[in-house]
Amino acid sequence: MRTGLYQSSNYPARTLTQNVSAMDLATTGAKNLRLSTGRVRLVVLDVIRGIAIAGVVLYHLIWDLDFTGLLSSGISWHPAWIWFARTLAGTFMFLVGVNLVLAHAEVFRLAAFAKRLAVIAVSAAAISIVTAFAFPESFIFFGILHAVAVASIIGVFFVRVPALLVLVAGASVILLSFLIEDELFNTRWLAWIGFAEQPPISNDLVPVFPWAGLTLLGIALTKICLRQSVDKLLERHEPSGALARFTAWLGRYSLAIYLIHQPVLLAVIIPTATWLSQ
């Protein structure tokens, strides 16, 4: 049975993350930060990423409250809420493609790419290890961070491919995920590809097909927008004000927020639920 975007067979998707740009190891709040490529960092992308990571925190807050019984509405299992999670995941995967183009369209910076990829890969491995101990039957063997890492590797080969071809490739990846399914891919060793008939139970399953397709679409549309100088337009009309600065800050530190927010939430919610149940 096809589970569609960002959904395991029996569990709602719970864990999300951000794109490669969030791996910047030297970030600043300065307006119009200029990247090493000479291109100005677009604040609007940090704002979008910040809104998305705030949505992730909200999603997990509701899920945690529901899981512990503090909120008995069942909203975390509602289809609309699951689609909310999928929208957030799709935003991050799309932004992976956007930032690959902005960072490497002119010159491929191998050292920077490798460093960011390593941070994502190590974080993904850590999540797999921790959840294997905490949820052995439903641990995260290929979640959003794993998907971001693989999509980044795939996407970097498309950065200099004509936009139309990248667009076709991205659409094909998404389409194939709904056309191909086979029980051969039902094991954890192969379910990460995205063609499983009945994927293994996982707290967060984000297979390459279709999600890497969104990254390719991000690459294609960014290339088209740069050709039309949309980046220059966005530079002249940056979001401003305290709220914009705060959401941009969230976006720049979205990986750190993603990694720590669930432990912090659970450290408060679980003891509270235990105390109230006594």
Side-chain angles (χ1 to χ4, degrees):
M1 179 179 178
R2 174 61 56 206
T3 56
L5 296 180
Y6 200 63
Q7 179 76 12
S8 65
S9 56
N10 295 304
Y11 280 69
R14 304 174 194 169
T15 347
L16 312 173
T17 191
Q18 57 297 313
N19 55 62
V20 176
S21 176
M23 300 301 107
D24 288 331
L25 301 181
T27 56
T28 176
K31 185 177 181 181
N32 284 340
L33 171 65
R34 188 165 295 278
L35 304 177
S36 59
T37 57
R39 188 182 300 281
V40 170
R41 177 171 185 146
L42 298 176
V43 176
V44 66
L45 296 181
D46 287 329
V47 170
I48 293 172
R49 195 180 307 110
I51 293 172
I53 197 62
V56 170
V57 175
L58 174 62
Y59 176 84
H60 284 145
L61 172 62
I62 298 299
W63 191 94
D64 293 342
L65 292 173
D66 215 353
F67 177 74
T68 56
L70 292 178
L71 181 67
S72 57
S73 65
I75 187 175
S76 63
W77 299 91
H78 194 281
W81 196 245
I82 294 174
W83 273 105
F84 173 61
R86 294 175 178 179
T87 300
L88 297 172
T91 299
F92 286 124
M93 294 300 293
F94 184 87
L95 287 175
V96 171
V98 174
N99 286 280
L100 280 174
V101 175
L102 294 180
H104 303 289
E106 298 173 3
V107 178
F108 176 56
R109 301 179 296 144
L110 177 60
F113 177 79
K115 181 181 291 186
R116 292 167 182 168
L117 183 63
V119 172
I120 298 171
V122 169
S123 299
I127 287 177
S128 291
I129 293 171
V130 170
T131 57
F133 283 101
F135 310 100
E137 298 300 320
S138 59
F139 76 97
I140 299 173
F141 62 91
F142 199 85
I144 188 74
L145 283 179
H146 305 72
V148 167
V150 173
S152 298
I153 295 172
I154 295 172
V156 78
F157 290 100
F158 285 86
V159 168
R160 290 189 176 83
V161 174
L164 181 59
L165 294 181
V166 184
L167 193 64
V168 171
S172 299
V173 169
I174 295 173
L175 180 61
L176 286 174
S177 71
F178 293 97
L179 296 179
I180 302 176
E181 61 177 41
D182 195 287
E183 63 180 10
L184 174 67
F185 297 90
N186 287 353
T187 67
R188 287 191 174 98
W189 297 107
L190 295 176
W192 61 273
I193 297 173
F195 297 145
E197 185 178 62
Q198 187 66 41
I201 295 174
S202 176
N203 287 350
D204 182 22
L205 179 57
V206 189
V208 174
F209 288 80
W211 292 97
L214 293 177
T215 297
L216 295 179
L217 293 184
I219 291 173
L221 294 180
T222 303
K223 291 168 70 70
I224 293 171
C225 288
L226 290 179
R227 194 177 303 142
Q228 301 299 321
S229 299
V230 174
D231 56 328
K232 305 300 181 184
L233 176 65
L234 293 175
E235 288 174 25
R236 294 195 297 269
H237 300 281
E238 287 186 346
S240 59
L243 182 59
R245 289 193 296 272
F246 176 68
T247 50
W249 179 86
L250 292 178
R252 287 194 292 273
Y253 293 98
S254 53
L255 177 60
I257 295 170
Y258 166 70
L259 291 174
I260 68 174
H261 81 279
Q262 265 291 59
V264 171
L265 288 175
L266 292 174
V268 174
I269 292 173
I270 291 179
T272 301
T274 303
W275 176 68
L276 291 176
S277 66
Q278 293 177 348

